[in-house]
Amino acid sequence: MPLNSASSLPARDPAAPRRLAWLLTALVVLWPLLRAAEVQPGALVAAENLKVVGNFLAAFLPPATGAEFLGYLGKAAVETLAIATAGLALAWLLAVPLAYLASGAGREAATLNPVVRLVLTLLRGIPELVWALLFVRIFGLGPAAGVLALGLTYGGMLAKVYAEILESADPRPARALRQAGAGRAVAVAYGLLPQATRELVSYTVYRWECAIRASVVMGFVGAGGLGQLMDQAMKMLNGGEAASILLAFMALALVADLLSRALRRRLEQPAPPRATAFGPAAGALGLALAAAVLGSFAYLDIGLAALFSSDAAASMGQFVADFLAPDLSADWLLKVAKGSWETLAISAVGTLLAAAVGLFLALGRPRPLFALILNGLRSVPELVWATITALAVGLGPFAGVLALALHTAGVLGRLYAEALENAPPAPSRALGLAGAPGSVAFLYGTLPGVAPQLLAYTLYRWEMNIRMAAVLGFVGAGGLGQQLYFELSLFHYAQASTVIAAMLLLSIAVDTASRLIRRRA
Amino acid sequence: MSFALSGVGLTHPNGFAALADIGLRAAQGERIALIGPSGAGKTSLLSVLGTALAPTAGRLAVLGAEPSSLAAGRLKALRSRIGTIHQAPPIPARQRAVTAVLAGRAGRWPAWKSLASLVYPADIPGARAALARLDLADKLFERCDRLSGGQLQRVGVARVLYQEPDLILADEPVSALDPALALATVRLLVAEAEARGATLVASLHAVDLALGCFPRIVGIKAGRIAFDLPAGEVGDSLLHDLYASEGEALPTLATEPRFTARAAENDDAGCTTCR
C-alpha cells in the first residue's frame, strides 16, 4: 500500500556528509586552540610539580581557628552573602523588564529587539571586575562597588537567560492565546510561565550562588567580603587561614545549594486546591526574601544616592574619558591580538574539558556522592583554582585552562544533572522496557531531548568563561587578563582601554558564535 | 503459552486499586482486544504484561518466565521480546525517524552496535521497510518534531514492527489516526502478528474496530475482567453494560465526532471485517 516507491529515495543517510564536515571543521579549529592554550597533560604528573602542590596543600592543615580570625571570618562571610544578595536583587530588577523586551517569546512574529540585545551584550561583555574598578573610583573601596558591578553584569546575564528560557518553552500555548486575542503579557503569563517557572527559579537561585563566588573575586580588588580576606591570606602564603576561608566559602555554597534544592522541591509539589496559587508558605517565603534583600542593603550601608551626585558624575566622566582614548598603535594591537587568541583558547579548551568532565559527573551514581564532588569543584572560585593549578603546571595558559575546567565542570555538571532530572522519562523508560541497556536507553531516549539544553548551557558557560579567562590572567594565567593587570597597575589607561575593548569584542564574537551554533544545532 | 495471569492485582501506593483479581491466559499467536471505558485499567493491564509495573498480588508469567524472579540480565532479554506501542509515542522530539525506528532493536543489538548506529544508521533498509509498511518511507530522515501527531504515532508502530517481538502490546495504538488510517494500521498489526506467530494484545477505544479485527475480546471495567469471549459472542447488551458510565452510544470509529464526515466516506471499507 505504500504511495511512495522506495527506490526513488536515498539509500544513504543524507545527513552523514554534513556531520563528517562538522567533525573535520571542529578538529581543524581545535588543534590550534590546543596549541595556543599550551596543553601539556604531562606537566600534571611531573614529580617536582606534584611536590610543590603537595607542600602547598599540606600547609592548609590544620585550618586556622584563632578566635579573632574566626570573628573576622564570620563578618566577612556575612558581608559576602549580603553583597551577593543585594547585587542579585538589583540584577533581578534590571533583568525582568529587559528580558521581556529582549525575548521573542509570545510575539506573533519572532522579532528580537536588537537595541535591548545590544544593551545586554554591553552589560555582560564588560567583566564585573572592570565595572567594580569603575565604581571603586566613585565609592572608594568597599562593598558598594561590588553590589553595583554585580547588579549590572548579572542583570545582563539574567535578562539574557530569562529571555532564552522563555523562547525555548513550547510556544504553542502562548500562540493559541495570542490567536484568541490575548495580549503578549497575558500570553506569556498563561502560556509560557507555567512551563518555565521551575527553570527560571532554579536559574535565579543558581545565579545567586554564582554571585557569592563573584563577590569573592571582586574582593581581590578591594570590594570587601571573604575575597579580600582570601587575597590577604594568599599574599602572605598563610595556608591555614586560606583553608579556613575556603571551608567557610564551601559551607556558604552548600547552604545555597540546599536552599535551592528545597525551593525546587516545593515547586514540584502539586499546588493544593485553592483559588490562589500563593498559600501561607509562599507568603512567608516572600517576606523572608524581602527581609533578606532589605537587610543586605542595610548591613552594607550603601549610599546609593552618591551614585547620582555631581561628584560621582564628574568622576565617572573622567574615568570614561581616560578610557575613550585607547592605544591603537600597530605594535600594541598586535600584542593585544595575541593576548585575545590566547584568552579565546583558554576559554574554549577549558569549557570543552569541563563539558566532558561535567557530563561524566552528572551521570555518576550514587547521586549524593557526585553532587558533593560537583559542589566542591564549583564552590572553589576559578581564581583560587588558578593559584593551585599554577603551582601544579607552572604559570601560563594551561594553568588557566585547568582552573576554568575544574570550576566549570562543577557548574556544568550540576546544570546537566538538573536538565537530566527534568527530562521527560517516557522515552528512555520505554527503551528500558524493550530490554535496552541503560547507556543505550540514555543515548537514544534521554540525550536527544536534552541535548539542546546541554549545548545551550555549555555555550553560555563558554561566553562567561571568556570573561573569566581574562580575570584569570590576574594571577598569571596568561591572555588579555595578564596584560590588563599589568597596564592597570602602571596606570596606563590608554593601553588598558585597548585591552578592555578587545575583551568586549571577543565576548561579542563568542556570543555570536555561540548563537549561530545553537541555531544550527 | 504466551502469558498467564492468575489473581493479579495492582494497588498503587496511594491505595487506588487499578486491577483486581485478573485471571487471563493466552496461547502464543492469539490476538486479543481489550475494551472498556476510560480508567477501567486497560493501560495498567498492559503495563503489567509489559513488565513495566509489578503486580502487587497474584502470579504473572510472560513468555515462559516469571519477571519478578528474573535477574537483571534475563529480565532485559525477556523485555527485548516484548514490544509495546505506547499511546503517547515515547520518542524524543529531535530524534530522526530512522533512529527512532532502529531503537526498536536496542534490546537485541549489542551496545556497541546501538552506539555506532547513532553515528551512522546501522540498518537503513530495515528502518525504511518498517516505515514503508505504515506509508511513511519518505519520512525516514525527517526529525520527529516535524511530524504530525498521527505520523509520530505510526513511527511508534514502525519501531515495534522493526523490533519483531514475540508479544506485541498496543495501548490505544491508533488514537491519533483518522478512521481509514486507524483501520489500516490495526489490520497491519493483526497481519504482522499472524504472519510471525506473535501474540497481540491491543487496547482499543473503538468497539467496532475491536470486534471487526480481533477474534477474542476482553472487556474490562473498574479493574476487573467483565467478560472474555470470542468476538462473535459479544452482544449489544454486554457492551452497553460495559460502557454504562459513558452514556447511550457505544464508542466506535464512526462516532468519533471529528471524523464523522470522513468515516461516512469510508463506509465501503467496512469496519466489520478485517480479513
Side-chain angles (χ1 to χ4, degrees):
Chain A
M1 105 183 152
L3 300 176
N4 310 289
S5 78
S7 59
S8 68
L9 292 159
R12 283 174 225 267
D13 186 348
R18 204 169 57 232
R19 287 181 181 181
L20 190 66
W22 272 103
L23 185 70
L24 290 178
T25 314
L27 287 180
V28 165
V29 173
L30 199 60
W31 179 242
L33 283 176
L34 284 174
R35 294 290 302 274
E38 295 174 17
V39 175
Q40 307 145 316
L44 266 177
V45 288
E48 67 267 34
N49 288 337
L50 285 177
K51 203 172 146 203
V52 175
V53 178
N55 285 343
F56 180 73
L57 292 181
F60 273 43
L61 290 173
T65 50
E68 195 193 357
F69 172 71
L70 285 186
Y72 282 131
L73 189 61
K75 200 163 161 291
V78 173
E79 199 167 73
T80 293
L81 262 185
I83 293 173
T85 309
L88 197 74
L90 213 60
W92 188 80
L93 278 182
L94 201 64
V96 169
L98 285 177
Y100 184 74
L101 290 175
S103 178
R107 292 186 199 275
E108 302 230 323
T111 50
L112 305 176
N113 191 325
V115 179
V116 182
R117 292 256 160 183
L118 184 68
V119 171
L120 294 187
T121 307
L122 281 178
L123 286 179
R124 289 178 305 115
I126 299 176
E128 58 252 45
L129 214 62
V130 178
W131 285 117
L133 278 176
L134 172 73
F135 290 121
V136 160
R137 279 182 73 106
I138 298 158
F139 294 98
L141 293 177
V147 170
L148 285 172
L150 267 185
L152 289 183
T153 325
Y154 278 44
M157 290 179 187
L158 281 182
K160 183 181 177 207
V161 175
Y162 285 174
E164 278 168 8
I165 289 176
L166 287 178
E167 279 166 17
S168 68
D170 180 2
R172 284 171 297 190
R175 209 181 294 144
L177 285 165
R178 290 304 298 266
Q179 281 162 6
R184 182 173 173 236
V186 172
V188 169
Y190 278 72
L192 298 179
L193 282 187
Q195 307 177 52
T197 313
R198 271 181 70 173
E199 220 177 319
L200 289 173
V201 170
S202 89
Y203 190 79
T204 311
V205 179
Y206 153 70
R207 265 288 132 199
W208 176 63
E209 288 181 55
C210 295
I212 294 177
R213 272 185 291 281
S215 71
V216 169
V217 170
M218 286 185 297
F220 278 71
V221 298
L226 284 175
Q228 210 158 342
L229 218 54
M230 175 81 87
D231 190 33
Q232 288 158 7
M234 287 282 193
K235 274 189 182 136
M236 294 186 293
L237 285 178
N238 190 333
E241 284 191 8
S244 291
I245 299 168
L246 257 184
L247 284 177
F249 192 66
M250 288 169 131
L252 269 188
L254 191 70
V255 168
D257 188 56
L258 290 178
L259 208 71
S260 108
R261 207 168 298 168
L263 267 175
R264 276 185 302 128
R265 204 166 306 142
R266 274 210 64 81
L267 277 173
E268 259 171 56
Q269 283 167 6
R274 62 172 164 247
T276 167
F278 305 102
L285 191 66
L287 279 180
L289 205 61
V293 170
L294 293 177
S296 296
F297 276 104
Y299 181 82
L300 297 173
D301 192 23
I302 300 170
L304 280 178
L307 185 60
F308 305 104
S309 68
S310 58
D311 266 7
S315 164
M316 240 194 292
Q318 179 58 43
F319 193 81
V320 170
D322 280 346
F323 269 99
L324 278 182
D327 180 354
L328 296 178
S329 63
D331 209 23
W332 182 241
L333 281 183
L334 196 68
K335 274 188 185 160
V336 172
K338 193 169 170 292
S340 302
W341 177 243
E342 210 167 271
T343 299
L344 183 71
I346 294 172
S347 70
V349 177
T351 309
L352 275 178
L353 200 58
V357 177
L359 187 61
F360 175 75
L361 293 175
L363 292 170
R365 294 283 184 280
R367 251 357 270 158
L369 172 67
F370 281 88
L372 196 70
I373 296 176
L374 289 172
N375 234 316
L377 284 177
R378 78 173 177 279
S379 63
V380 177
E382 293 95 331
L383 269 182
V384 178
W385 276 127
T387 53
I388 297 171
T389 56
L391 288 176
V393 298
L395 289 178
F398 187 42
V401 166
L402 286 179
L404 267 190
L406 284 168
H407 176 78
T408 308
V411 175
L412 284 180
R414 185 233 167 123
L415 289 173
Y416 289 174
E418 267 176 32
L420 293 173
E421 256 173 56
N422 294 348
S428 95
R429 199 190 300 140
L431 287 167
L433 285 177
S439 59
V440 172
F442 170 76
L443 286 173
Y444 276 78
T446 309
L447 197 59
V450 293
Q453 211 181 349
L454 301 193
L455 186 70
Y457 281 142
T458 312
L459 289 170
Y460 186 63
R461 201 57 217 186
W462 179 38
E463 294 170 30
M464 296 183 47
N465 279 348
I466 191 95
R467 284 177 281 274
M468 193 43 77
V471 174
L472 285 179
F474 284 39
V475 294
L480 287 175
Q482 210 159 344
Q483 292 171 333
L484 181 66
Y485 191 66
F486 188 67
E487 300 303 331
L488 275 181
S489 55
L490 296 177
F491 300 101
H492 287 168
Y493 287 129
Q495 281 75 23
S497 159
T498 317
V499 176
I500 291 177
M503 285 180 180
L504 195 57
L505 284 179
L506 203 54
S507 67
I508 291 174
V510 167
D511 275 19
T512 314
S514 122
R515 199 173 52 240
L516 286 180
I517 296 174
R518 239 173 308 170
R519 201 163 291 172
R520 284 208 66 96
Chain B
M1 187 60 56
S2 180
F3 61 80
L5 294 78
S6 63
V8 161
L10 180 69
T11 307
H12 289 293
N14 64 10
F16 175 70
L19 295 176
D21 196 27
I22 299 278
L24 193 65
R25 304 166 71 83
Q28 185 62 32
E30 273 204 74
R31 297 177 297 286
I32 303 173
L34 301 179
I35 59 172
S38 309
K42 302 189 293 284
T43 300
S44 297
L45 180 53
L46 288 171
S47 302
V48 166
L49 283 173
T51 74
L53 296 175
T56 50
R59 293 172 62 84
L60 164 71
V62 183
L63 299 175
E66 293 198 14
S68 56
S69 66
L70 290 180
R74 298 209 164 226
L75 183 61
K76 267 186 190 150
L78 171 67
R79 284 175 164 178
S80 70
R81 296 170 60 202
I82 306 174
T84 305
I85 301 166
H86 301 260
Q87 187 173 8
I91 296 170
R94 299 166 47 85
Q95 197 160 61
R96 295 189 301 167
V98 59
T99 316
V101 171
L102 293 183
R105 294 221 179 136
R108 286 210 264 141
W109 282 352
W112 65 263
K113 188 170 179 188
S114 300
L115 300 189
S117 177
L118 285 173
V119 179
Y120 191 88
D123 183 11
I124 292 178
R128 174 174 284 134
L131 283 169
R133 295 176 67 186
L134 289 140
D135 219 1
L136 287 174
D138 57 325
K139 304 293 183 199
L140 183 62
F141 296 113
E142 198 79 31
R143 258 171 53 172
C144 287
D145 50 0
R146 307 231 167 96
L147 302 180
S148 72
Q151 286 170 339
L152 190 64
Q153 194 167 38
R154 283 183 285 152
V155 172
V157 175
R159 172 192 277 194
V160 171
L161 291 186
Y162 184 69
Q163 184 184 347
E164 299 189 337
D166 296 323
L167 172 59
I168 304 174
L169 303 171
D171 188 6
E172 304 266 5
V174 294
S175 56
L177 305 183
D178 66 52
L181 264 178
L183 180 64
T185 305
V186 169
R187 278 179 175 166
L188 175 67
L189 277 174
V190 170
E192 165 78 7
E194 221 177 358
R196 286 197 307 101
T199 311
L200 169 65
V201 184
S203 78
L204 288 170
H205 187 68
V207 173
D208 48 352
L209 202 54
L211 294 178
C213 297
F214 289 80
R216 181 176 167 192
I217 310 288
V218 173
I220 299 195
K221 190 174 184 182
R224 290 171 184 278
I225 292 186
F227 58 81
D228 179 357
L229 294 168
E233 293 173 28
V234 178
D236 259 8
S237 63
L238 220 48
L239 291 173
H240 279 289
D241 274 354
L242 189 66
Y243 288 98
S245 60
E246 296 208 336
E248 286 294 295
L250 292 175
T252 60
L253 279 178
T255 56
E256 295 277 319
R258 278 188 302 155
F259 299 131
T260 318
R262 288 287 302 272
E265 291 169 23
N266 290 310
D267 267 352
D268 298 339
C271 291
T272 45
T273 57
C274 217
R275 267 153 279 156

